[in-house]
Amino acid sequence: MILNNLTPIKGSNKKGKRLGRGKGSGKGKTSTRGNKGAKSRSGNSRKLGFEGGQMPFHKRIPKFGFKNINKKKYKIFNLETLEYLINIGKVKINLINKNVLIRIGLLKKKECLKILGRGELTHKIKIFAHKFSKKASLKIKNLGGNPLIVKNK
């Protein structure tokens, strides 16, 4: 068997309807579209969820819930992550704050920074963040570091 010898199975390929070829074809004039209405005209494509003028399902069902537009989004960093950043040289040992993490690309401008206490820290550091867990602030203070809380903007 060679690719240029392959042919489709008999009866699998079917010629399409030839529309709009005059009265004699049986499919002339309106080309099987009917007389009037949106579907008989060119350029017709119904919108997703359109139900023929009836109130669409997505508008019929009740809406519920609430989304607070003023909610603060906190990006969480563990002490082990900060330790890793210091070890690979992305962050200077003496200072970690929001701007440093934005410059690296780990934080966005509108996000707030929260430090959690998973992992161990071996360097004495000064950290500016919006929130600290109790465990994290204790670990930082025990090494002689400074966990400083920044007010939200």
Side-chain angles (χ1 to χ4, degrees):
M1 187 187 294
I2 304 169
L3 286 176
N4 65 348
N5 291 340
L6 292 177
T7 54
I9 298 167
K10 193 172 184 180
S12 67
N13 281 357
K14 204 173 168 188
K15 284 190 175 182
K17 288 182 188 176
R18 282 181 45 92
L19 303 174
R21 294 293 184 272
K23 285 182 186 176
S25 69
K27 290 172 179 60
K29 194 186 165 201
T30 57
S31 303
T32 70
R33 287 172 172 251
N35 287 325
K36 293 181 189 171
K39 284 197 264 180
S40 71
R41 290 164 169 77
S42 67
N44 171 53
S45 58
R46 284 196 237 144
K47 289 178 183 163
L48 191 67
F50 181 69
E51 296 182 24
Q54 173 178 299
M55 182 63 72
F57 181 70
H58 67 91
K59 286 189 176 184
R60 266 183 278 157
I61 58 172
K63 309 294 182 279
F64 56 90
F66 172 76
K67 190 156 189 161
N68 186 0
I69 59 168
N70 297 318
K71 185 179 180 181
K72 296 285 177 197
K73 288 186 180 178
Y74 287 95
K75 183 80 176 211
I76 294 169
F77 282 89
N78 280 297
L79 292 177
E80 65 185 6
T81 311
L82 298 176
E83 179 71 18
Y84 174 73
L85 290 172
I86 292 167
N87 289 339
I88 63 170
K90 290 270 186 180
V91 175
K92 291 179 185 172
I93 294 172
N94 58 350
L95 177 70
I96 295 174
N97 63 13
K98 185 178 176 179
N99 294 333
V100 172
L101 295 173
I102 289 170
R103 188 170 30 87
I104 296 169
L106 296 174
L107 199 66
K108 293 178 184 171
K109 275 188 179 181
K110 291 189 178 183
E111 289 177 327
C112 296
L113 177 61
K114 184 173 182 175
I115 308 294
L116 299 182
R118 188 174 79 198
E120 291 302 319
L121 201 60
T122 56
H123 300 88
K124 177 184 170 184
I125 51 175
K126 194 178 203 178
I127 303 177
F128 291 91
H130 298 93
K131 280 188 178 180
F132 289 93
S133 70
K134 289 178 185 176
K135 197 175 178 183
S137 60
L138 276 172
K139 285 183 179 182
I140 295 165
K141 284 177 186 173
N142 288 343
L143 284 169
N146 228 358
L148 298 164
I149 294 175
V150 180
K151 292 198 175 177
N152 288 340
K153 290 179 183 175

